Amino acid sequence: MTHPFLIVGLKTATLFLGGMITFYAFRAYRRTRSPALRALAIGFGVVTLGSLLAGAIDQVLMVDRELALIVESGLTAVGFAVILYSLYAE
């Protein structure tokens, strides 16, 4: 049994928190011009975008939930790869 209100609430929290992390990482990049902080902001932005797109695919397009999960998982993996890169960038 699914709990759609719980899912929507958690997705909303993810979007808000991910958006705030992205915003503050981008502000830090603008202040310091550090490529690592730019990559960090991009990485968190991609992860947050994945959550947004998965929610939109699931709620608005009404297609198979597996597609939403594939989109979210793919963008999360890409975002985490960029975040990992940001930890090694100079």
Side-chain angles (χ1 to χ4, degrees), residues 35-80:
L37 286 173
R38 180 183 62 217
L40 184 67
I42 291 169
F44 275 111
V46 170
V47 170
T48 305
L49 178 67
S51 182
L52 174 67
L53 288 178
I57 289 170
D58 185 41
Q59 295 294 314
V60 178
L61 298 180
M62 300 294 186
V63 296
D64 189 18
R65 285 201 165 150
E66 284 185 11
L67 177 62
L69 184 60
I70 290 168
V71 168
E72 182 175 24
S73 297
L75 287 174
T76 299
V78 169
F80 282 152

Side-chain angles (χ1 to χ4, degrees), residues 1-7 65:
M1 177 158 121
T2 62
H3 302 284
F5 293 113
L6 179 61
I7 294 169
R65 285 201 165 150

